[in-house]
Amino acid sequence: MIQVSLPDGSVKQVPENTTVAQVAANIATSLAKAAIAGKIQTTGQETAKLVDTNYPLTQDCQLSILTAKDPEGLDIIRHSTAHLMAYAVQELYPEAQVTIGPVIKDGFYYDFAYKRPFTPDDLQKIEKRMHELAKKDEVVTREVWSRDQALAYFKKIGEDYKAEIIESIPQDEELSMYREGNFIDLCRGPHVPSTGKLKVFKLMKVAGAYWRGNSDNEMLQRIYGTAWATKEEQKDYLFMLEEAEKRDHRKLGRELDLFHFQDEAPGLIFWHSKGWQIWQQIEQYMRRVYVQNGYQEIKAPQILDLSLWKKTGHWDNYKENMFITESENRVYGLKPMNCPGHVQIFNSSLHSYRELPIRYGEFGQCHRNEPSGSLHGLMRVRGFTQDDGHIFCTEEQLQEECYKFTALLQKVYRDFGFENVLYKVATRPEKRIGSDEVWDKAEQALIQSLHNSGCEFEISPGEGAFYGPKIEYTLKDAIGRHWQCGTIQVDFSMPKRLGAEYVDQDDKRQTPVMLHRAILGSLERFIGVLIEQHSGAMPPWLAPEHAVICTISENFNDYAKDVEQALLAKGFRVRADLRNEKISRKVRENAMQKVPYILVVGEQEQQQQAVAVRARGNLNLGTMTLTDFIQRLSDDITERRNVIA
């Protein structure tokens, strides 16, 4: 008999070779029906292992029965659905070759080699066949084959890509194969017990993909799909995708005349006047944050000699992402981040411990040589500006500075309308600089600062920067998506490498701790997030235009100009629409530009020295005196209120 310890603390005595499914049935019939896989850990095993439900238990272990409600169970469903899709494709299109099909966020994909492009009609046929196969509830079984046996099999059936994968595996290695019906695939697993467990899925789209991600290889066809535990979850996900498409900042950027991209400047942005107005409001707001929180605004050079980037460690750890230029036999790096420049400013004079902490802030322009395939509107660019800051402090001041930064970041996010913030502490990566002792201090300081802030947080092992651990601050937007924007990183290494020093109370020179911090992160990316959060309908304090004054006829152009001048004099961003068009067209076209307020003026308004006010969303607020409207708009801006979308 062996002992199986369960998550609730109970222990079951079962015969050796009892399967995971049999343990589940011994606990409850309902659990046996819901079981997707098992998660086991034996003595001496560092991490738990995922296994099929028919896996035999041969020694004492800890066991969790996974269902579709578990994240790992859902991943297994998605991977099994990828296999089901490949099964259906090969039944419908026998000449298609299957290659690789992993799980991805919210779904899966599989790459196929086929003689012609798959069409939307093909996807419908494939999805229909998948449902038919799922209803057959065919058992999914794992088999162990030798490498040579698997290689011979796939070559025989014309699966050249699978054969190529197997040829790269050592000869003496045994391979895991999964069979369902007539379909056999190479896979580590685990998989669902039978195809009947796969009930809720949808094929989404087809895209091109190079074999093994290498542009020198053949172009394959990648079919994307999604799979969920319940119909309700899939329905919510598809609704979110529909909303995300409506809110796409690239689409809205064109429609609202905010910015554009073109091939002559890949990954770089052409800001139009309206988009630059949004930028300016954000930058001016953040500049006030700097002043009110003890930051000195500075500006460092765009390019620095390569020798400096070697001292910082960036050349060894980040050179593939740097743009390089040369002049007069010297090599320079276009800065991918602002920290080395800030250290030079700190080093320009000797500081006393009484001056610390010293906080620098910069709207620093950076360039990173991102792969062209990863570029994505404002969200992933090659040239961007950070609300970047660096704090030079003592070890004793470290936790307090981290605590203050988190409080400041929370206030800024609230001002921009974000109430939900997620916190992660990213710890030491495998490739790093600095001793373990230094990393221990840095990680503990970040963790303790979040404890002091009362924040719940997760640990992300190995995801820190090469020079130090960090807290990542992630926003949750209006449709539930997550955007990682802010960060604070503890760095004991770079100040020492670059010779940063201060004089302590014993008149001795010490190296300060350096905190890298950003609240918004990339301003470009943050504007993209804001556009999608508000569907382009920015709150008045951020809107490119506060109001547009529309005349009923050209007879009232002079009065409209007077209203325009009165509002401009108060600092509002307004425009008079004096086109010789019907008022209905003017109102409609300006409403499509998501202007917060449309002011209509005609004979009655001119006589009363008033304006007829329409708020965004076609909300008629009636006639107001100009003084009353000015007060309303002022309150909107001061209180950072939104008007109806």
Side-chain angles (χ1 to χ4, degrees):
M1 301 291 282
I2 60 173
Q3 290 189 338
V4 178
S5 301
L6 300 172
D8 63 1
S10 63
V11 177
K12 288 195 174 290
Q13 297 262 355
V14 301
E16 191 175 339
N17 290 319
T18 298
T19 66
V20 171
Q22 288 169 336
V23 174
N26 187 263
I27 296 169
T29 304
S30 59
L31 182 60
K33 289 182 179 179
I36 295 294
K39 185 177 181 181
I40 63 170
Q41 187 161 12
T42 57
T43 304
Q45 190 178 353
E46 288 187 11
T47 57
K49 173 181 166 185
L50 298 178
V51 298
D52 300 304
T53 56
N54 62 3
Y55 182 87
L57 306 175
T58 58
Q59 57 183 306
D60 295 349
C61 64
Q62 296 175 342
L63 171 66
S64 298
I65 308 295
L66 299 180
T67 70
K69 294 179 181 179
D70 298 297
E72 291 155 311
L74 184 55
D75 279 349
I76 291 167
I77 284 176
R78 287 171 174 161
H79 190 51
S80 297
T81 308
H83 278 230
L84 184 70
M85 177 174 72
Y87 184 4
V89 167
Q90 288 214 314
E91 285 217 334
L92 293 168
Y93 311 98
E95 295 178 13
Q97 293 189 56
V98 299
T99 64
I100 297 171
V103 171
I104 56 174
K105 186 179 184 296
D106 299 324
F108 58 88
Y109 70 77
Y110 220 118
D111 290 346
F112 299 93
Y114 190 49
K115 59 187 177 183
R116 65 165 176 81
F118 287 120
T119 66
D121 285 344
D122 291 327
L123 259 60
Q124 288 183 13
K125 291 176 185 176
I126 296 166
E127 188 176 309
K128 181 182 177 184
R129 184 60 181 144
M130 288 169 68
H131 281 291
E132 292 169 353
L133 293 171
K135 285 179 182 176
K136 291 171 71 174
D137 197 22
E138 294 179 314
V139 174
V140 180
T141 57
R142 179 178 183 270
E143 301 174 10
V144 177
W145 291 14
S146 70
R147 173 190 178 276
D148 290 345
Q149 179 186 3
L151 184 60
Y153 171 77
F154 283 110
K155 281 186 172 181
K156 180 181 177 182
I157 64 172
E159 289 284 357
D160 300 328
Y161 294 91
K162 286 289 182 189
E164 184 178 325
I165 293 171
I166 294 168
E167 283 175 336
S168 66
I169 298 171
Q171 281 197 342
D172 57 350
E173 192 166 324
E174 290 186 327
L175 304 183
S176 171
M177 310 289 292
Y178 278 85
R179 183 192 298 270
E180 49 196 276
N182 297 320
F183 181 70
I184 301 175
D185 204 356
L186 172 70
C187 187
R188 289 193 183 95
H191 281 274
V192 295
S194 67
T195 59
K197 297 287 186 186
L198 310 176
K199 293 179 168 53
V200 184
F201 51 80
K202 182 175 179 58
L203 300 188
M204 306 298 291
K205 63 179 181 179
V206 182
Y210 291 109
W211 167 232
R212 290 190 160 178
N214 188 335
S215 59
D216 293 331
N217 291 338
E218 310 94 297
M219 177 69 78
L220 305 176
Q221 297 187 68
R222 177 169 295 175
I223 300 180
Y224 287 94
T226 190
W228 297 86
T230 67
K231 289 182 179 179
E232 291 73 19
E233 288 173 325
Q234 179 164 286
K235 182 180 178 183
D236 290 344
Y237 172 71
L238 296 176
F239 175 77
M240 186 274 288
L241 289 184
E242 186 180 333
E243 277 296 301
E245 187 174 350
K246 292 177 188 174
R247 295 165 182 259
D248 190 318
H249 72 280
R250 296 166 298 180
K251 169 177 167 285
L252 290 169
R254 293 190 301 271
E255 292 175 356
L256 302 179
D257 193 26
L258 303 178
F259 56 82
H260 82 273
F261 298 88
Q262 60 187 63
D263 290 341
E264 289 80 0
L268 302 170
I269 303 153
F270 292 82
W271 287 102
H272 300 192
S273 176
K274 288 183 180 180
W276 196 242
Q277 278 288 355
I278 297 172
W279 177 292
Q280 287 297 313
Q281 299 316 306
I282 294 172
E283 184 175 318
Q284 289 164 23
Y285 168 88
M286 291 306 300
R287 184 165 278 120
R288 291 192 293 273
V289 168
Y290 282 170
V291 171
Q292 292 164 6
N293 291 273
Y295 285 83
Q296 305 171 39
E297 187 177 343
I298 59 174
K299 191 72 174 175
Q302 286 290 101
I303 62 172
L304 294 167
D305 190 279
L306 197 61
S307 61
L308 187 62
W309 297 112
K310 289 180 178 178
K311 284 183 184 178
T312 63
H314 286 93
W315 186 247
D316 291 333
N317 293 277
Y318 205 74
K319 61 185 175 184
E320 66 275 8
N321 293 101
M322 292 179 65
F323 287 102
I324 303 301
T325 186
E326 295 185 25
S327 176
E328 297 180 343
N329 297 319
R330 291 181 69 180
V331 181
Y332 299 89
L334 194 61
K335 67 176 179 180
M337 56 266 300
N338 302 293
C339 33
H342 289 197
V343 178
Q344 305 314 304
I345 294 172
F346 181 86
N347 287 353
S348 65
S349 61
L350 186 60
H351 300 280
S352 164
Y353 72 95
R354 293 186 180 89
E355 297 175 66
L356 304 185
I358 290 175
R359 306 181 185 100
Y360 291 147
E362 179 182 3
F363 298 101
Q365 291 180 298
C366 298
H367 289 80
R368 296 179 184 174
N369 191 14
E370 303 284 1
S372 59
S374 71
L375 301 177
H376 179 75
L378 300 180
M379 305 305 193
R380 191 76 176 266
V381 291
R382 286 177 171 164
F384 59 94
T385 301
Q386 292 179 310
D387 67 316
D388 206 1
H390 293 87
I391 301 170
F392 296 86
C393 64
T394 67
E395 280 191 41
E396 293 74 25
Q397 294 168 330
L398 179 55
Q399 276 188 32
E400 179 69 12
E401 286 301 306
C402 293
Y403 171 80
K404 286 181 177 178
F405 175 73
T406 295
L408 175 59
L409 173 140
Q410 289 168 335
K411 180 189 180 302
V412 170
Y413 285 175
R414 284 194 300 270
D415 284 348
F416 281 102
F418 296 102
E419 297 291 340
N420 293 318
V421 184
L422 307 177
Y423 306 87
K424 290 184 180 179
V425 178
T427 59
R428 68 197 75 186
E430 186 174 331
K431 190 177 182 181
R432 61 182 184 270
I433 57 178
S435 68
D436 286 344
E437 181 185 3
V438 163
W439 278 85
D440 289 341
K441 285 181 186 177
E443 289 171 357
Q444 188 54 41
L446 293 181
I447 289 169
Q448 190 58 49
S449 75
L450 288 178
H451 280 310
N452 294 344
S453 300
C455 299
E456 294 183 2
F457 60 91
E458 297 178 8
I459 301 292
S460 297
E463 294 187 14
F466 71 87
Y467 49 78
K470 58 185 175 179
I471 300 174
E472 294 178 338
Y473 303 88
T474 300
L475 302 175
K476 187 176 180 181
D477 73 8
I479 57 174
R481 295 172 300 176
H482 292 171
W483 304 98
Q484 194 269 305
C485 294
T487 183
I488 187 166
Q489 305 168 0
V490 181
D491 189 349
F492 282 87
S493 298
M494 191 180 298
K496 192 168 186 177
R497 283 182 168 223
L498 297 183
E501 292 180 330
Y502 69 94
V503 178
D504 70 10
Q505 56 194 5
D506 297 322
D507 211 29
K508 293 180 180 178
R509 297 200 177 195
Q510 303 289 347
T511 302
V513 181
M514 184 179 183
L515 299 177
H516 309 249
R517 46 106 289 167
I519 296 178
L520 308 182
S522 157
L523 266 67
E524 288 81 356
R525 185 169 181 270
F526 191 74
I527 290 171
V529 172
L530 281 173
I531 291 170
E532 298 201 2
Q533 164 81 356
H534 296 289
S535 297
M538 293 296 196
W541 76 282
L542 289 173
E545 294 178 322
H546 291 134
V548 174
I549 306 137
C550 297
T551 52
I552 289 177
S553 75
E554 61 185 11
N555 297 332
F556 308 106
N557 284 0
D558 289 342
Y559 177 59
K561 291 176 184 177
D562 290 342
V563 171
E564 180 185 38
Q565 289 304 311
L567 293 173
L568 288 171
K570 293 290 184 180
F572 299 128
R573 300 185 290 277
V574 298
R575 169 175 56 87
D577 186 345
L578 307 179
R579 293 176 297 160
N580 186 21
E581 298 284 356
K582 290 182 179 180
I583 186 63
S584 58
R585 180 172 181 176
K586 290 183 184 181
V587 169
R588 182 176 65 254
E589 290 181 354
N590 284 295
M592 289 175 65
Q593 288 298 299
K594 303 183 186 287
V595 180
Y597 291 104
I598 297 173
L599 310 181
V600 177
V601 296
E603 183 174 359
Q604 179 180 334
E605 288 76 27
Q606 180 173 282
Q607 289 175 353
Q608 296 176 0
Q609 292 294 286
V611 288
V613 183
R614 292 172 181 263
R616 192 161 49 209
N618 200 28
L619 183 63
N620 187 350
L621 300 182
T623 301
M624 294 183 191
T625 66
L626 195 53
T627 300
D628 286 346
F629 176 72
I630 287 171
Q631 186 61 54
R632 179 188 178 93
L633 185 51
S634 296
D635 290 345
D636 285 344
I637 294 168
T638 302
E639 298 172 21
R640 298 190 177 89
R641 295 188 311 214
N642 206 347
V643 295
I644 189 167

